[in-house]
Structures are given as C-alpha cells and as structure tokens.
Amino acid sequence: MTHQDKIQTVEALEKFIVQKGSQNKVAAGMTSVSAAILSQMRNHNWESISDEMWRKVAKYVGVTSNGWNYAETRNSKDLLQFFNDSQQFSLVLAITGKAGAGKSESAKKYEAENKNAFLLSCNEYWDKRWFLRELLGKMGKDHAGLTLPEMMQKAVLLLKSLENPIIILDEADKLADNVLLFFITLYNALENHCGIVLMATHFLEKRIRRGVATEKRGYREIYSRVGLRFIELENTSYSDVEKICTVNGIDDTAIIRTISKDCDGDVRRVRRLIFSNKRAS
C-alpha cells in the first residue's frame, strides 16, 4: 500500500470509530486485528504494520487502493433511503435484486457512515451460533464461553440499549433454513426496537413464497414479518453505467456505450470493464 492509501485508511478508520463508539468495538469486528494495531495506525506508528494488516483494515472501513470511486446510481440512492427508513422507524424490509445490482456496496457505505448500523454478509455454512457470533462481533462484544441462549440474550439486550439500531443481512438467501427461521425469533425479540433488512437475489422471494405455498414450517411467519411484499430493485440503466464510468475517470461516450452494452446490467462487470479500459489506454 502507498503512503496515501494509508492516510486514507486512517482517515476512514477515525470516522468508523466515531460511528461505532470506540476503537475496541471496531477491532472486535475484525478478524486478527487488535485494538493495539488500530492505535498504532492512528498514531502513525506504521513501521511494524504489514501491508496485509493495512489491507484488512482498509477493506473493513471501506477504503480501496485501486482508485475505485462510489457512484450514486438509482439503486444505490434507493437503498440508502430504505436503510435509513428501516433504521429510523424500526422497519423490517426485504429487498431483492439481480446479482451485481450494487446491493453490497451500498450496504457497506451505509454501515460505514451511520452509527448503530450492523452489516452481516451471510454465508451457507452459518448456523445459529455463527450468526450470533458475527452479530456480537459487529457490536464489539465477545461471545467466548456463552451458550446459544446467552448469546441471544446478550445480543438482544445490547441492541435494545442502542438508539435506532439496524441489522442488514446481505445475501440472506444463502442462509440455511434453520438460520433463516431464526430471523423470526430475532424479530419477535426486537420488534419496534431495531430495523432489520433482508437483502438478496430474487431467489429469496421465490424460496419464501414456495415455503408459504407448501406450508413449510416458519415460512408464513417470515412472509408476514416482511410485510407481505418484497422491494425489487431496478435493472442497471445506461444512465447508471454512465455515472459509474464518469466518477471513475472514463468520459468517452463511445467507451461508455460499449461498457453499458457488455456489462449485462451487472455493476461488478462495469467495474471490471472500466479497469480493463484503463489498463488498455
């Protein structure tokens, strides 16, 4: 990492610490990164800190060393508003969109810029205990030695003690049934105290509707909790691609048109195509 990358990382880290409440809370949310390391970064004692450690912290606080700039697309603007509404009014929302619609990038931005916002990137291998471990870690709390009920109680009490917390479950369609159904328990314990957003591809909606139709245990409750509807994101438009290209240094109309045609509405492909064009120029 360059010296400028490190400066940007420390600046973002300072903002992140303000949002999350303390240096220890931020450190607890990262793997293999101690509060002491963060303190060294903040005090510019950088000699003994490896590039790998810098990259871990930079990724966590939303800084990239590849010169990528965030662009406000239709979906990103809508998502930030949905997150804000959920947080302010303790709403439960289910948001679906194509892979590459910009869901994860917007969620990371919201978490980095808002206090008491906790983003969990879900995975297939999670069980209930892993889910709660990730949630407690995001809140800067340790789970060591706690039983599953104790972890649940600790997470609920912590969330109820916070002002307008929000949990964003990215890629919620990856969760196994027993963990997805665990959402009901969490919702019941936090109703009117915490915003919860389930975010995934359209497979989540199909899965829940199929579960309701076949009377699969718990699925009607999930369907009821999300307000009997799913918020569907728009397809990525030419205007969106143009905005992304422009803020990332490409303003040639012909190149933008080619990228828009080749990206198939996938923001991640737009990113790759932009970098390919930059390397070729």
Side-chain angles (χ1 to χ4, degrees), residues 58-77:
K59 181 178 179 181
Y60 189 80
V61 299
V63 173
T64 59
S65 58
N66 53 23
W68 184 255
N69 296 310
Y70 182 88
E72 187 180 83
T73 63
R74 289 182 303 171
N75 282 338
S76 67
K77 186 176 180 180

Side-chain angles (χ1 to χ4, degrees), residues 30-47:
M30 287 186 274
T31 304
S32 305
V33 179
S34 67
I37 289 291
L38 298 186
S39 181
Q40 289 176 354
M41 289 181 174
R42 298 172 72 193
N43 292 319
H44 286 234
N45 297 325
W46 298 349
E47 294 81 5

Side-chain angles (χ1 to χ4, degrees), residues 10-27:
V10 172
E11 289 174 349
L13 175 61
E14 294 290 356
K15 292 178 182 178
F16 213 79
I17 288 171
V18 171
Q19 294 292 347
K20 300 307 173 186
S22 75
Q23 178 176 278
N24 288 340
K25 286 183 178 180
V26 175

